[in-house]
Amino acid sequence: MDDCIFCKIASGEIQGLRIYENEETLAFMDIAKDVDGHILVIPKAHCKNILDCDPETLSAVMQTVKIVADHLVENCGYEGVNLLNASDESAGQSVPHFHIHIIPRKRDDGIDAWPKFEGAKEDIHSVFEKLKM
Ligand code: AMP
Ligand code: ZN
């Protein structure tokens, strides 16, 4: 997509700190500087989010997430990862090109990567009745 920043990073039109790439996907450093080692994994072909991506693209992205996560633990001194994704503006997505955030973790690193929820408003059983497939 012409005006998509992540498409431009994927194509090389805009520079990114490329950690790993293959034909279908790219892992690069997030510029937020909010936590050490914040990485994004994207498909090179544009899709907006998980609701918009075909299964093959999603599979390719998750395989790259696994390759990068293994690398962080096997070669970079980390012990685990948090994976984060916002799909749709309602969920907080700010860049409309599908991406998985990888946050590398070490025990006792002091990072709180889990959202603070305010507590469920509905009874779990009535929500279950609405959600079950
Ligand atoms: P989200 O809010 O989940 O859509 O996340 C978008 C992420 O993209 C944020 O963490 C931004 O810091 C990151 N971001 C935006 N522009 C760039 C860029 N040019 N290079 C690397 N990361 C970026
Ligand atoms: Zn794009």
Side-chain angles (χ1 to χ4, degrees):
M1 234 173 66
D2 285 352
D3 60 349
C4 172
I5 184 137
F6 286 1
C7 281
K8 288 181 179 172
I9 291 172
S11 71
E13 185 182 336
I14 291 179
Q15 213 184 350
L17 298 172
R18 303 166 93 91
I19 297 277
Y20 170 85
E21 66 186 302
N22 57 24
E23 203 174 322
E24 297 154 304
T25 66
L26 169 67
F28 61 104
M29 298 299 295
D30 190 302
I31 47 160
K33 294 185 185 162
D34 50 359
V35 61
D36 290 333
H38 190 164
I39 293 167
L40 300 174
V41 178
I42 62 169
K44 288 186 173 175
H46 184 88
C47 63
K48 181 178 175 187
N49 57 41
I50 196 165
L51 305 166
D52 180 46
C53 266
D54 61 75
E56 293 74 24
T57 302
L58 289 175
S59 171
V61 168
M62 287 313 292
Q63 285 179 45
T64 294
V65 167
K66 164 87 173 138
I67 287 168
V68 173
D70 284 348
H71 169 66
L72 293 170
V73 170
E74 287 165 14
N75 305 318
C76 305
Y78 291 101
E79 296 170 280
V81 293
N82 286 108
L83 305 181
L84 305 170
N85 167 258
S87 282
D88 194 60
E89 291 79 1
S90 61
Q93 183 173 10
S94 63
V95 175
H97 180 128
F98 181 55
H99 51 281
I100 303 281
H101 300 253
I102 303 181
I103 312 295
R105 300 300 306 271
K106 288 179 192 171
R107 234 162 283 247
D108 304 324
D109 61 16
I111 295 167
D112 184 1
W114 205 254
K116 301 272 182 303
F117 296 116
E118 288 171 11
K121 298 188 180 76
E122 293 182 57
D123 173 69
I124 189 171
H125 296 101
S126 49
V127 176
F128 167 69
E129 288 303 324
K130 277 190 283 186
L131 301 186
K132 71 181 180 185
M133 298 168 77

